[in-house]
Structures are given as structure tokens and as C-alpha cells.
Amino acid sequence: MPELPEVEALRVFLDDHLVGKEIARVLPLTINVMKTYDPQPAALEGATVTAVARHGKFLDVDADGLHLITHLARAGWLRWKDSFPATPPRPGKGPLALRTVLTGGDGFDLTEMGSTKRLAVYVVRDPASVPGIARLGPDPLADSFDRDAFAALLAGERRQIKGALRDQSLIAGIGNAYSDEILHVARMSPFKRTSSLTDDDITHLHTALRTTLEDAVRRSAGMAAGDLKAEKKLGMRVHGRAGEPCPVCGDTILEVSFSDSSLQYCPTCQTGGKPLADRRLSRLLK
């Protein structure tokens, strides 16, 4: 799933490639990709892109006051095209979910692999009218997101820190992968209770959160959209690396599986050498 660093890199890429250009066509190609119906996607045709923004994991293309907003979900992606075939694509065929063509002939496709379709597109006049955006917590890369602001967010929490970091209504943009990475940098168990965090724990965790996300954004800077997935995978220290040696201590990275996700961690760095129980049926991280 694309998370804050990848979506931020896509925002920068689209800002460079879209702003000042006119939209010729917006073509939804799967029945469930559009989550709003007024305005219609056709209302964007002839509009000029004035800005590209990010709200957590949401991409926001502003075209003369109408917003084309995308959430790529677990298996969605954006693919830039310098040109398109003359024949329009057939709806419902393959992973192609939506095509946006500029008057210059270039543009982008939104695609989604797999049978579970969660990629979501909205055309709205106000981004705050998208429910997922309306409920977002603060952006962790904002200047205002300092250690004290982070501590205030955690003050009323009574749950495991992994789930808190992934909660979009608490902090916007962090998902399964970067929460694993942040907790590894902080040398903290994903099952540690937020209510047990000391002042020093909060300071270390805030530092790990900021440095992990900032480093990932920095690595992705200037990359083409098509290269971002590979960069994310290469940059992971523990996430997706079960069975491999920890890059810090050399211990074997372990995994805990849940009904629809998994987490990875280093027992030496994070849990005092103790393996965590595999709670496959747990609802903890939903």
C-alpha cells in the first residue's frame, strides 16, 4: 500500500507534470472506482490544473476549483503516460481503473491489481467533503507536529502502539510498512501499550517517526512514478523482510500474522529477544 512517503513523491511528480496543463478527458473504467457522482468526471474536461496536494494518503489534483482526489488503497498505483493509444480502453478489462488524458496527449492511468477493488476516486468541490479526508489526524511532516503535539495525541490512548500509529484519525499517512520501520528505529515492541510510554519513550518514538518518514521522502525525491514501489521495498529495514538478518544487530527478523495483514520486527532490537505471539485471528490492527 502506498503510504505518506510514496504519496508525497507522487504529489511532487504530478505537480511537475500537471500544473498549468488542461485536462481533455477523465475516463472511469471500472464500475466501482468512482465514489462521488456530482460533479461528474466530465466536469473536469477543459479545466486547467492549478495545484496538486496531499492529504495523508490521498492525492488531490485541483483543476480550476474542482478536485480529482484519489486514494490508492492497498493495490492501487498511478502510472504516467507520455501518450495513449488512439483506441479508448474497454471498461472492465484488466487492472486499469481510470484514465486522465491532457490536451497535450500525455496523462496518467490509475490501476489496481487483484480481485479486491478498493481504489477510490472522488470529484468534489471541497476536499473536506471526502469522509476519509475529513477524519484525518495531523500530518506528521508538518512543522507543528513536534514532540509535545505527538505526546498530546497519545495522552488519551489505551492501546498498542502499532495500532495507534496506523490510525489515520490519530496521525495521517502512516500504514503497516512505515509503522514497522518507525518502531524498529525506536527499538520498541509493536505490542507496547501507549499508556505505558514514558516521557523518554515518547521523545524517542517521535524522533524515529520524523526521521523515518523524512528519510523515505528524501530517498524518493525526484524519482519517476514508476520507480517508487521498488525504492520503497529497497528502503525497508524490517517490513517485508521476515527471515532475513536485522541490519542493526543481525538477529533474524520475525513476523506476526493477522487475519488480513502481518507485521515484522527484530526480537533483539525491539522485544528483549522474546518472540511475539502470532495472533492470526486478532482484530488488534484493523
Side-chain angles (χ1 to χ4, degrees):
M1 175 185 290
E3 299 179 31
L4 185 155
E6 294 77 48
V7 179
E8 176 63 15
L10 286 173
R11 182 200 67 78
V12 173
F13 178 88
L14 290 179
D15 190 72
D16 290 340
H17 287 73
L18 288 181
V19 171
K21 296 184 179 180
E22 183 179 309
I23 296 173
R25 295 187 304 279
V26 177
L27 304 172
L29 295 163
T30 59
I31 193 170
N32 59 341
V33 67
M34 294 302 307
K35 305 305 179 186
T36 54
Y37 303 97
D38 182 25
Q40 292 284 321
L44 290 160
E45 296 175 3
T48 299
V49 177
T50 55
V52 182
R54 176 183 60 79
H55 314 281
K57 302 178 192 177
F58 291 82
L59 272 172
D60 176 0
V61 176
D62 183 344
D64 289 339
L66 286 180
H67 297 261
L68 178 66
I69 293 177
T70 302
H71 190 285
L72 294 169
R74 177 171 291 185
W77 197 243
L78 183 148
R79 303 179 186 278
W80 183 260
K81 303 286 185 178
D82 292 325
S83 62
F84 294 94
T87 304
R90 295 177 61 188
K93 296 295 182 181
L96 186 56
L98 182 137
R99 173 164 290 174
T100 299
V101 183
L102 306 175
T103 54
D106 50 354
F108 61 88
D109 285 340
L110 297 178
T111 62
E112 185 173 25
M113 305 302 295
S115 58
T116 301
K117 302 300 183 182
R118 295 178 180 173
L119 189 151
V121 178
Y122 310 79
V123 178
V124 295
R125 295 179 178 86
D126 180 2
S129 66
V130 176
I133 293 177
R135 71 179 182 88
L136 286 176
D139 192 295
L141 293 186
D143 291 341
S144 59
F145 194 88
D146 57 16
R147 187 265 180 206
D148 290 342
F150 182 52
L153 287 176
L154 296 178
E157 295 295 319
R158 297 291 185 272
R159 51 176 157 169
Q160 293 174 338
I161 189 59
K162 168 80 173 179
L165 290 176
R166 291 185 61 187
D167 184 347
Q168 298 303 293
S169 64
L170 188 71
I171 305 170
I174 301 172
N176 194 34
Y178 285 102
S179 57
D180 281 352
E181 297 298 294
I182 289 164
L183 290 168
H184 181 254
V185 173
R187 304 179 71 89
M188 188 173 294
S189 169
F191 289 173
K192 187 176 182 68
R193 307 295 296 187
T194 54
S195 56
S196 72
L197 295 175
T198 66
D199 286 344
D200 283 346
D201 287 337
I202 293 173
T203 298
H204 292 321
L205 185 57
H206 177 263
T207 300
L209 185 156
R210 289 291 294 244
T211 57
T212 299
L213 295 179
E214 288 169 351
D215 287 349
V217 169
R218 193 176 302 114
R219 289 195 308 270
S220 300
M223 298 189 71
D227 297 330
L228 290 171
K229 281 187 177 181
E231 169 55 36
K232 177 181 179 179
K233 185 174 182 180
L234 286 173
M236 294 290 110
R237 296 154 56 107
V238 292
H239 183 78
R241 298 192 180 279
E244 299 181 22
C246 170
V248 175
C249 71
D251 196 3
T252 301
I253 295 168
L254 300 182
E255 179 174 284
V256 176
S257 296
F258 298 88
S259 59
D260 62 351
S261 66
S262 62
L263 64 83
Q264 290 80 43
Y265 69 99
C266 171
T268 293
C269 292
Q270 296 177 252
T271 61
K274 180 180 178 181
L276 298 174
D278 191 335
R279 304 176 183 182
R280 187 173 301 272
L281 300 180
S282 173
R283 296 186 300 170
L284 170 67
L285 302 182
K286 289 186 178 179

